[in-house]
Amino acid sequence: MNPWLPFEIIAAVRFLRDGRMQTMFIILGITIGVAVIVFMSALLAGLQANFLSRVLTSSAQIELLPPDQVARPLRGAGEEATIQRPAQRILSIDQWQTVRQRMLAMPGIIMAAPTMAGSALAVRGDASRAVSLTGVEPESYYRIIRLPDYIVAGHPTLASDEIIIGTELARDLGASLGDKLNIQAATGNRAVLRISGLFDMGSKGANERNAFVSLRTAQSLQGRAGAVTAIELKVTDIYAAEVLARQIAAANPVRAESWIATNAQFFTAVNAQKSSNTIIRLFVGLSVAFGIAAVLVVSVIQRSKDIGILRAMGASRGQILRIFLIQGALLGLVGAMVGGAVGVGGLAWYHRVMRQADGGELFPLVLDSGLFIVTLLLAPLTGLLAATAPALRAARMDPVEAIRG
Amino acid sequence: MGEVPRIPVMELRAIKRAYSLGPTKQIEILHGIDLMLHKGEFLALMGPSGSGKSTLLNIIGLLDRPTSGTVLIGGQDTSELGDAGITRLRGHAIGFVFQEHHLISAFTALENVMMPMMVDKGFSSAAIEARALALLAQVGLAHVAGHRAMAMSGGEQQRVSIARALAMAPALVLADEPTGNLDSHSAENVFDLMRQVNKDSGTSFLIVTHNLDLAKRCDRIIDVADGRLVLAV
């Protein structure tokens, strides 16, 4: 016997080992429960991380836009009139350099990048396609939108006569790296630009419709020299983006749209998933707890003579209580360790087997060490709580009745 | 030379034990028992089933409390003690040998003998193991130290339980029909062992038995009938 272990731990381990079959089945039950929790939590985290990574690397976390134009009737109120919403022209942000400097000085904002967006026609020979043309300052824009990560051919730098387009658009126009495209803006301005890079954002729509040029080229094409249509922001806490956007809109003559507001449906889905996951975890946890309690109740009955003998030998009620509490905690701990390993194994297998149509991964494998630490703490705690009732019953046993069985 | 002073290890004074059979009705099992057991005594407790001997043994063993009366163990009045004090005193002063030997199946013979000492100290130690081995050798079972209860004969198990009862070097060992489940040969061996321990160490024994031949080999026989001591030989 290990001289370093207290008597209660030795007795608890021996009792569990003595009832081998019972112990094995309950550990199997806990293992399955913990594996399900680990698997589901990691899967959900992976899917969320995948979405966030896609959204946050291909769009700004907060976008500042000029305020909407509204019609102001000149005649007084009370007269019958139908006021139509005016068509929205391409507008620039008033005093955008000042706004940008103010943004960079604001706590919680890492980067601010001006952009000029507008529609244009990309023409090559007989082929033409409508594109959304965005003029950017690469040095600031690439720190927000990770366009260089999506470049599959060429380079992400943008000279005034260069353009970066998506792989789908290049295919539609029959163009490849180094070819020249005729870009015609809605204003009638034209420019011939050389394809310096091809990107693949993992979305056919994005690859078909988006094109990037330097800010000055875009301003020239849209006929708005020195103007920008948006300021894209990167923030330190992505989940505080909506609060920050409201603060910015309240203090500046701009509209501020956070990624949270523009992806509201995703958040609704994530919250629904989180709720269902929490409910599943709760019920799995309860099943595990009741399983442990049931096994220990049976164990207390089976071991009543042993309990009586131990009491006759001078074991205190506290010692008996601890023997059964330790059994509950040990069952939880072993189940959590095995279950955690099974959950990770299952996740790795699922990650390897479930692929997208193009063979890419369906979701990134996110193994949060915090999840394992919490599981390793919560499972023994659950075992301890589940063991309380049987342990109290054992401790309160009358030794005479216990010995009699 | 004067007579060697007799030291009482256990004394019962006017012990009564009643059980309630409902909100108003009570049944009295023991009707005022007085008994004294001295150091080194080897006492047989006899009586028909239902006479109250098990109840009496449980009260002497501090497993049960009397409804009235006083139990003194080593001169200490146990009615003044709480549950923790009673448990501690029981662990130190009294050893138990049961009819069905009641070894804990999850432990080996050696570990069963170590158990009372581990319960007392909270941990195992080399000294505890050495004492347990010595006790097993004393009952002639050093060779089965690593065996589980299931792997031993009834006689062997009972001898292990005697070794366990002696682990804390108690002043008193209570044995509830220790030979009741054994064949005559094993019963003789177990009885002789207890007698030997009694003579060698001066440990007092109180043995409940139905076997008159064995009882006659004790220092005294106490007969219990209907909750009273009716005969003291």
Side-chain angles (χ1 to χ4, degrees), chain A residues 1-8 10-11 14-15 17-18 20 303 305-306 308-317 319 398-400 403-404, chain B residues 58 63-64 83 87-88 90-91 94 96 98 100 102-108 111-112 114-116 118-120 122-125 129 148 164:
Chain A
M1 264 191 228
N2 191 329
W4 302 106
L5 289 178
F7 153 73
E8 291 92 329
I10 293 172
R14 288 302 181 84
F15 283 171
R17 263 172 45 183
D18 202 38
R20 202 165 288 131
R303 301 231 167 255
K305 284 191 179 184
D306 294 346
I309 296 291
L310 286 169
R311 294 279 288 132
M313 283 177 198
S316 67
R317 290 186 194 280
Q319 284 179 309
D398 173 30
V400 175
I403 291 167
R404 205 176 289 152
Chain B
N58 290 335
L63 293 170
D64 194 6
D83 186 66
T87 303
R88 202 172 308 116
R90 184 169 62 226
I94 303 168
F96 292 88
F98 300 96
E100 290 169 15
H102 292 322
L103 297 182
I104 299 178
S105 62
F107 295 93
T108 62
E111 290 164 347
N112 265 282
M114 290 168 72
M115 198 61 59
M118 282 178 60
V119 164
D120 181 51
F123 287 87
S124 166
S125 71
E129 192 170 333
R148 295 279 179 109
R164 185 178 66 186

Side-chain angles (χ1 to χ4, degrees), chain A residues 145-189:
Chain A
I145 310 297
R146 301 231 300 269
L147 188 61
D149 292 356
Y150 299 117
I151 296 289
V152 291
H155 54 81
T157 54
L158 277 171
S160 58
D161 62 342
E162 287 179 333
I163 186 168
I164 297 172
I165 63 171
T167 48
E168 297 290 332
L169 180 61
R171 200 173 60 191
D172 289 350
L173 296 173
S176 55
L177 198 65
D179 287 350
K180 290 191 172 168
L181 292 182
N182 192 348
I183 303 296
Q184 300 172 10
T187 53
N189 295 341

